[in-house]
Structures are given as C-alpha cells and as structure tokens.
Amino acid sequence: MSGCDLSGYYQYPGRAAREAARLTLHDGAVTLHRASGDETYPLAALTVSEALGDIPLSLTFADGGRFAPGDDKAFRQWYFRHRRPGLVHRLEQHKRGVVAMLLATVLVGVFYVWVLLPWLSGVIAHQLPVSIEQQLGRYSAAYLEEQGLTESKLSTARQQQLQTLFRTVIPQDMRDQTGLRLRIMHFPLGANALMLPDGTMMLSDQLVRLAKSDDALAAVMLHEIGHYRYRHSMQMVVRSSLISITLMWVMGDVSGIGDTLLQSAVLVNEMRFSRSMESEADRFALEEMQRQGRPLSAMLQIFTALGEEGKDDDKWAIPDWLSTHPAMQERLETIRNAAQ
C-alpha cells in the first residue's frame, strides 16, 4: 500500500482549529501534505493512537500536531503491516481473551485490595518514624477540636483519678513508650473514645459517666491501647494514601499526591478501622484484662452500654455485614466466652 494517499484533517498543536490535509503512505514513513508545504516523517517519529474497537486511529507528530485519516480502514491495513497491534486490540479479536483479561483484572484488584494492600500497609506503618506519628497526631487533634471537642467538664479530682488509672492500665512492656497519654474531653456526640496516631487517647466525659466502674474504663483504655500497639491508625492512613495514589496512577493524574497524603492524615479520625483491626484490639484488651486480674464482667458492661447507646443514636444503622466493625452481639459473645 506504499504510495497510497489518504485525505483527512490536520489539527494544529494545542488548538482546536484544523485544516484539510493529505497523507501519503510509504514504507516506514509518511508524507504530510498541507497548504504550508510537504514534510516527510519516519514512522518511528510518530505516535499513533491505541487501536480500541472501531475508534479511528490518529497520528501525533513531534510538535503536537495531529492528523486524522478519513479512511481509517486503509490506514490500519498499512499501519499494522509495519507495527504489531497492541495487546488490547489483539484481545478484542478474541472474545475468550477479553473474558480472560476481565477476569484476571478483577482477581488482581481483589488480591491488591484484600491481601497486598493490608500487608503493605502494615509493613509501612511499622517502619514510619515516630516524628510522622507525632505530626499526624497533632493534625488529628486540631481537627477534632475544630469539630467541637472541648476540655473536660469533670472535676479536677476525677480527672486525676483517670490519669492514674490510665498509667496503671498501660501494659508493662509499653510503659517506656512516651507517646501514650490520656486527654479527657467533652465530645459533642456522646460517649466515645479514640486513639490518635501519636498515642494520644481521647476519652469523653460521657463515656466516663456511662461506665459503672474503673475496670470498665480500663477495658476501653486497653482496647484503644491495642489500636496503638498494632499501629492501626497509621495503617489506615497508609492504606488510604496507597488507594488514592493507585487511582491517580491508573488515571494518569499524579499532580495531587501531596495533597492526598495530607488530607489522609488530617481526616484519620473519620476512618473506620476494619473488622480485623477491631477484633485484634478486642483480643488485646481481653488478654490484658485477664493478665491484670480485672473482671471481664466490667468489660461486658461497658460494651453493652456502648452498644445500646449506639442503637439510640444511629437511626440509619447499616447492616452488620456492611459495617467495618464486628457486630456488637458477636463482640459481647466473645467476651462472655472468655469470662466463662
């Protein structure tokens, strides 16, 4: 098909304007005929769009100009004589190949999200320096205060008692970790407790009042300390960042990676831990309660109370199978079994 002429349109670099033009096909080269003159280009200096279904191919020149042939079929025949079609085009010619590729893509995605991503997040989270945890903790604390958290309204004496309890509850092998500290706050949305990435535990006044004993509060504290021991907050930050970076890489937009990392850090408190993380923190709390000789009935009391309060507050509760937290009844049953 050498020497064949194809009519079409030439589009100027970076502009929508175009003009009628003609393309002569040679062996391994093309000549572009425009009103301003003729110019020959070797095929190696051109970029030809990927062959996807029936979408017409187009040529892009080194200066950014583009040529769209009017006879796509004739251009394809010439082009595929000189260059092998891409993998996508070859798969499109075989339905079984398309199905196999789709299935492989789904399997790779599932493996990445459910296996590789959790493992990679855990490895990276445990390798990050303490300075990053401290910075993320400060960001998270500032964000929480902007959302309405205020200083505790409990008496000074009671706050001192809780600080003493917290220091006593910390497992022996973690007491040299200076990051662990307790902040007693008044939460706008009721009883709650959470652990920030830097080891700062936020405990609400309302939860303190909900607990019928200090052992019940110890159970909550140990659960949150478990999150810190296994770096769950950091894993969630890393996981969220990896997902965002992966999506931007797939879509070809990597300009916002820095902003994404910062947003993931600031909004860490809004991320729910996975079921496995919550179960891991529960097991840690159960083992420590038993090791410290604290009654599991106290743990059962506070978890039951939190579950009942959650039912009242959440009118639009999602099904347990959609929730990232283990079902409360399942958690309570685990505590009962351990107590027996």
Side-chain angles (χ1 to χ4, degrees):
M1 193 177 289
S2 297
C4 175
D5 283 355
L6 300 178
S7 60
Y9 291 94
Y10 175 81
Q11 183 176 355
Y12 295 95
R15 296 167 57 188
R18 64 179 188 171
E19 67 176 24
R22 189 165 48 86
L23 195 71
T24 300
L25 306 178
H26 309 289
D27 283 331
V30 298
T31 299
L32 178 64
H33 305 279
R34 297 167 51 200
S36 59
D38 303 341
E39 190 166 356
T40 301
Y41 302 88
L43 184 57
L46 303 175
T47 301
V48 179
S49 60
E50 187 70 34
L52 299 174
D54 296 328
I55 300 176
L57 300 183
S58 63
L59 299 84
T60 302
F61 302 95
D63 61 356
R66 294 176 66 249
F67 178 81
D71 189 344
D72 183 64
K73 182 178 179 180
F75 179 74
R76 282 175 181 252
Q77 290 177 352
W78 172 84
Y79 179 62
F80 291 154
R81 283 180 55 241
H82 294 80
R83 282 191 181 176
R84 189 182 183 191
L87 176 62
V88 174
H89 177 75
R90 296 199 302 273
L91 286 174
E92 285 179 337
Q93 311 308 309
H94 306 281
K95 293 184 178 180
R96 290 183 180 179
V98 174
V99 173
M101 181 59 71
L102 288 174
L103 180 60
T105 302
V106 171
L107 291 177
V108 169
V110 170
F111 175 79
Y112 177 74
V113 172
W114 293 100
V115 179
L116 183 60
L117 196 58
W119 174 80
L120 192 59
S121 299
V123 171
I124 295 176
H126 283 84
Q127 299 300 320
L128 292 174
V130 176
S131 59
I132 294 181
E133 293 182 353
Q134 293 173 344
Q135 186 175 11
L136 295 184
R138 288 194 295 270
Y139 283 147
S140 300
Y143 179 81
L144 287 170
E145 291 172 5
E146 290 175 0
Q147 302 310 304
L149 269 68
T150 57
E151 293 300 323
S152 173
K153 302 182 185 304
L154 299 177
S155 66
T156 302
R158 182 54 175 153
Q159 291 188 51
Q160 290 175 347
Q161 291 173 355
L162 294 171
Q163 292 290 350
T164 301
L165 175 66
F166 182 73
R167 289 192 295 270
T168 305
V169 162
I170 297 175
Q172 191 68 38
D173 62 338
M174 295 182 68
R175 292 185 180 177
D176 59 342
Q177 299 183 24
T178 56
L180 282 169
R181 68 191 187 102
L182 174 67
R183 285 190 67 184
I184 308 163
M185 309 289 289
H186 183 81
F187 283 38
L189 297 179
N192 206 341
L194 53 92
M195 179 66 74
L196 303 186
D198 63 346
T200 299
M201 177 182 172
M202 297 286 200
L203 180 67
S204 73
D205 293 351
Q206 297 91 324
L207 192 146
V208 173
R209 298 190 182 98
L210 197 64
K212 293 185 177 180
S213 67
D214 280 357
D215 285 327
L217 291 173
V220 174
M221 292 176 179
L222 285 168
H223 175 89
E224 297 303 327
I225 291 174
H227 282 312
Y228 179 70
R229 184 185 188 93
Y230 298 113
R231 298 299 189 270
H232 289 161
S233 294
M234 294 302 301
Q235 288 187 46
M236 294 301 290
V237 170
V238 173
R239 186 177 306 185
S240 174
S241 301
L242 287 176
I243 290 175
S244 299
I245 292 172
T246 300
L247 290 174
M248 285 189 289
W249 177 74
V250 170
M251 296 177 183
D253 177 18
V254 296
S255 61
I257 288 180
D259 291 340
T260 299
L261 292 173
L262 182 59
Q263 290 170 6
S264 298
V266 174
L267 300 180
V268 64
N269 68 290
E270 292 189 347
M271 295 184 227
R272 289 193 171 193
F273 292 123
S274 67
R275 281 177 176 262
S276 60
M277 290 179 180
E278 288 293 343
S279 297
E280 191 172 37
D282 282 349
R283 288 194 299 271
F284 175 83
L286 276 170
E287 292 171 2
E288 281 301 321
M289 287 285 286
Q290 292 173 318
R291 187 175 291 112
Q292 296 179 17
R294 300 181 185 275
L296 294 186
S297 58
M299 186 175 184
L300 190 63
Q301 180 269 313
I302 191 63
F303 274 55
T304 301
L306 286 171
E308 291 299 323
E309 183 166 280
K311 289 180 183 179
D312 295 336
D313 292 341
D314 193 358
K315 296 180 181 180
W316 303 99
I318 60 176
D320 288 332
W321 60 273
L322 276 177
S323 174
T324 57
H325 285 61
M328 182 56 73
Q329 288 304 317
E330 177 185 332
R331 302 173 78 177
L332 296 176
E333 191 62 30
T334 300
I335 299 172
R336 291 192 188 97
N337 292 337
Q340 292 174 359

